[in-house]
Each structure stands twice: as structure tokens, then as C-alpha cells.
Amino acid sequence: MKVLITGSDGFIAKNLIVRFGELEGFEVATFSRQTSVSQLPELVSAIDAVVHLAGVNRPPSPEEFVLGNTGLTQGLCQALLECGRHVPVIFTSSTQAVLDNPYGKSKLDAEHALRDYAAQTGASVYIYRLPNVFGKWCKPNYNSVVATFCHNTAIGLPIQINDNNTVLSLVYVDDVVDEFIRVLTDKPKLDATEFAIVSIQYQTTVGELAQQLEAFRDSRHSLISEKVGAGLVRALYSTYMSYLSPDAFAYEVPKFSDPRGVFVEMLKTQDSGQFSFFTAHPGITRGGHYHHSKTEKFLVIKGNARFGFRNILSNETYELFTSGEQPMIVETIPGWSHDITNVGEEEMMVMLWANEIFDRQHPDTIAHKV
């Protein structure tokens, strides 16, 4: 399928073009600000679909709304009609199309041009009145509050908030791209006046957005990660990270050393404990304590280890051996004291997960001989 993408230098287009490059069966033709409208007939003469992303939203004069939004869309429709290419068109309109302002009116008139094209040809037209789209490669200090806030927070600049309670409706660019590919692949039927939608949308406030981005920033110092595995927080975290400059790709974490080796905390979570690693020199034993509620998972990734266990009530003992050559998770059990000894001839390195963040005021770690 050969797809013409207008506005090919824009934020959504960049994400879409990259995704097309990852898939088989798609070929891309592009139309950008450097392309003349007179080239449209040639561009559309051999395409199978159009993703019409081009438009203007901050021109020097209101008249350019008409030229860049309505006029370009009308020119695209005319080129398709003249070439006999009755192909589906995806169009990114705006939620402002219902508003009485020059931008909204130009988008509404562009919608009407596409509806007329569909009525004349029977081709499918998918009009998306998108709210604020965010994600990687979106230009800050332009027309995206998410991009601007991410950029400023990532490089240590202040952000300006007029009203913390202003509601934001958001869609993530990866979800937009997924939707466009679904439509191009499945070609669903819509009623003549129906709008297409990106099903995954989010709502937050300007104040909540700022707080969330600040939490991402601060997590490098606290080591406490936000819940970045799903939904809006996942999408915002990915977006925020994309605004880090290369000199901020890495950061140091505290290292605690003593004659036994080193201990380093890597990551803490809000509700699923923390991750760390430690080393031990040959013959060194670490541990020698029990927990009432805390549990841990150990993974030896280098060296050879002996794990010892003792039930603090019955004095029953147990030991097991593991090494970095054969990955094995060893878990500590509440009510059993435990230790780990380096029984090899080289430094031992061990990954450790605990189900709760270590609290120095309430450590739940009681010394007890194994």
C-alpha cells in the first residue's frame, strides 16, 4: 500500500513514517511545506491512501488559516478527483472545529471539502477531531503544553501555570499511529457524517501534569519510580524521557562500601519494593537476620554462594548452593533467619529485590544467628 502523508515534517507524521518503516507492505510518499501544491496531481496519481496531517495553527495572519487548512484540503480533493484516485483519506481535524474562530472554521471547512469528496466518489473519509496529541518529537513552546512542560522540566527551566485546574484532554501519539494503521489495514465503514475516534484518551489537569513531570524528575534522586507501566503515566514518562539531552542519559546512585564489598540501591517503587545489588569478597558472609513480614529475592549473577536458613522457633536449618552459571532465585521466608556466603574464589555479585522500601525507622530486620 502506497500512502501519501501530508505534513510529513510534523510531529505525528514523523512517528507514523517511522512505524511504516517497521512494517511490511507500506510505501510512503510525502508532502511537506517544501512541496508545491502544484505537485499534488503527480503525488496522488499512484497512491492507495492519504493521511492528511498538514495544516497551520499559528500563522502570521488569519487569512493563512484558510490557505493552509481549507485551501490545501480542497486542492488535495481536487487532485484526487482529477486523477480518478478514489482512495480513503485520514484527516486530522481539531476539537476547535466546533468553535467560532478562524482556525476552527478553517478546519470545519476542510472537513466539508472531504465530505464532498466522499459523496462524489464513494471513498471512505476518516475525520479525527483530535484533542491535544503528545509524545516524542513534539515541538516545545509551540502548541503543546505537554511538550513544553516536558522540555522545561527535563532541562531545569521553570514552567508557567495560569490555572492549575485547567482540564486537558490528551491522546498519545503511539495510540494515534496504531489507530491510523488499523484504519488503513481494516478499512472500516463509517456513516457519512460520523467522526472517527482514537479510543484511548486521557484527561488530567495542568497542575496534575506539572506534578507528575516533577515526580519523574525527582525520581532520580529519591530512586522511587512512579507507576510507569500503564496508561497515562506510562505515556507521559516515555514522553518526558524523550526530552532528556544526551548528557542527561545517565545518573549516579549512592554506593555503600565496607570491608565485605559494596551495596547499591538501584530503584524503588511505590508499592512493589525496591531493587539493589551487592558484592562480597571470597569467604565473606552477609545477612544473619530474619524478618517478620519482609520478603526478598536473591539472584547470584557472578560467583558461588551458600545460602543458610534457620527457623527461629524450631531451629530447623537448611542450606543451598547457587552460582552465576545457573541462574536461580532464592527467596527469604518470614520467621527464618538467613545469610549468604561467598564460597567461591572470586568476587560474588548478587541482585536483590525486597517487597518493601527499606525504612530505617522500622527496618523489620532482626539479627539472628544462622
Side-chain angles (χ1 to χ4, degrees):
M1 176 185 293
K2 188 171 184 179
V3 182
L4 172 64
I5 300 178
T6 72
S8 56
D9 290 338
F11 151 57
I12 298 176
K14 289 175 182 176
N15 282 271
L16 184 59
I17 291 170
V18 168
R19 186 74 68 83
F20 279 151
E22 299 164 359
L23 302 173
E24 293 184 359
F26 287 97
E27 181 183 353
V28 174
T30 61
F31 178 98
S32 69
R33 293 182 187 274
Q34 288 70 48
T35 313
S36 170
V37 175
S38 64
Q39 296 175 258
L40 277 173
E42 180 182 354
L43 285 171
V44 304
S45 63
I47 52 97
D48 303 301
V50 179
V51 180
H52 183 27
L53 307 173
V56 294
N57 51 29
R58 284 192 175 184
S61 64
E63 292 75 18
E64 292 189 41
F65 283 126
V66 177
L67 180 65
N69 292 330
T70 308
L72 177 59
T73 304
Q74 290 170 339
L76 173 64
C77 293
Q78 187 62 35
L80 289 168
L81 288 168
E82 291 177 355
C83 293
R85 304 298 295 177
H86 302 165
V87 300
V89 179
I90 290 173
F91 175 54
T92 51
S93 184
S94 169
T95 54
Q96 292 196 44
V98 299
L99 301 180
D100 185 18
N101 61 47
Y103 174 65
K105 187 176 186 307
S106 69
K107 282 293 190 178
L108 182 62
D109 290 342
E111 292 179 5
H112 291 160
L114 285 164
R115 298 288 193 199
D116 291 342
Y117 159 76
Q120 292 179 61
T121 64
S124 295
V125 169
Y126 305 94
I127 297 174
Y128 292 83
R129 287 184 170 176
L130 294 177
N132 298 280
V133 185
F134 70 99
K136 63 183 181 298
W137 306 327
C138 187
K139 183 179 179 181
N141 301 308
Y142 186 56
N143 64 344
S144 168
V145 64
V146 176
T148 302
F149 280 18
C150 283
H151 171 265
N152 287 17
T153 304
I155 66 174
L157 292 177
I159 56 178
Q160 180 179 341
I161 299 176
N162 297 321
D163 183 356
N164 280 312
N165 296 318
T166 299
V167 175
L168 296 174
S169 295
L170 303 173
V171 288
Y172 184 44
V173 70
D174 281 12
D175 295 325
V176 174
V177 169
D178 286 343
E179 167 66 11
F180 289 176
I181 291 173
R182 181 191 71 83
V183 165
L184 292 171
T185 303
D186 297 344
K187 301 178 179 64
K189 295 294 184 182
L190 296 180
D191 293 338
T193 59
E194 188 176 356
F195 290 95
I197 62 169
V198 178
S199 59
I200 302 175
Q201 299 195 14
Y202 304 106
Q203 278 203 335
T204 187
T205 66
V206 172
E208 290 168 346
L209 170 64
Q211 289 178 356
Q212 184 62 82
L213 299 181
E214 290 167 357
F216 295 154
R217 178 200 62 200
D218 296 344
S219 67
R220 286 190 164 193
H221 305 289
S222 69
L223 302 185
I224 300 177
S225 173
E226 295 294 289
K227 297 180 180 180
V228 296
L232 176 60
V233 179
R234 170 183 175 271
L236 285 175
Y237 184 63
S238 174
T239 304
Y240 167 77
M241 292 294 291
S242 74
Y243 288 88
L244 294 177
S245 59
D247 61 1
F249 283 1
Y251 60 100
E252 293 184 354
V253 292
K255 179 174 72 173
F256 305 94
S257 303
D258 62 30
R260 299 173 299 171
V262 302
F263 178 81
V264 177
E265 292 180 319
M266 174 189 172
L267 178 70
K268 302 176 182 180
T269 70
Q270 296 183 7
D271 58 1
S272 298
Q274 67 178 52
F275 298 85
S276 54
F277 80 87
F278 63 84
T279 65
H281 301 303
I284 292 295
T285 297
R286 283 181 172 271
H289 55 244
Y290 67 87
H291 311 295
H292 288 291
S293 299
K294 182 188 299 183
T295 63
E296 301 158 315
K297 296 179 186 286
F298 292 83
L299 174 64
V300 176
I301 59 175
K302 177 186 175 186
N304 295 276
R306 171 199 174 272
F307 287 87
F309 296 88
R310 180 183 295 274
N311 187 299
I312 66 171
L313 292 183
S314 68
N315 278 326
E316 176 186 354
T317 60
Y318 180 72
E319 69 175 9
L320 60 85
F321 295 83
T322 183
S323 75
E325 298 298 317
Q326 182 61 48
M328 178 184 295
I329 300 293
V330 179
E331 298 196 272
T332 62
I333 311 301
W336 287 73
S337 61
H338 48 271
D339 61 21
I340 177 173
T341 303
N342 182 350
V343 294
E345 298 181 354
E346 61 177 353
E347 181 184 57
M348 178 179 68
M349 183 175 293
V350 183
M351 291 181 63
L352 169 63
W353 169 82
N355 72 311
E356 58 188 46
I357 294 177
F358 183 72
D359 182 349
R360 295 187 182 278
Q361 301 302 315
H362 305 282
D364 188 15
T365 301
I366 300 93
H368 192 278
K369 181 181 178 180
V370 177

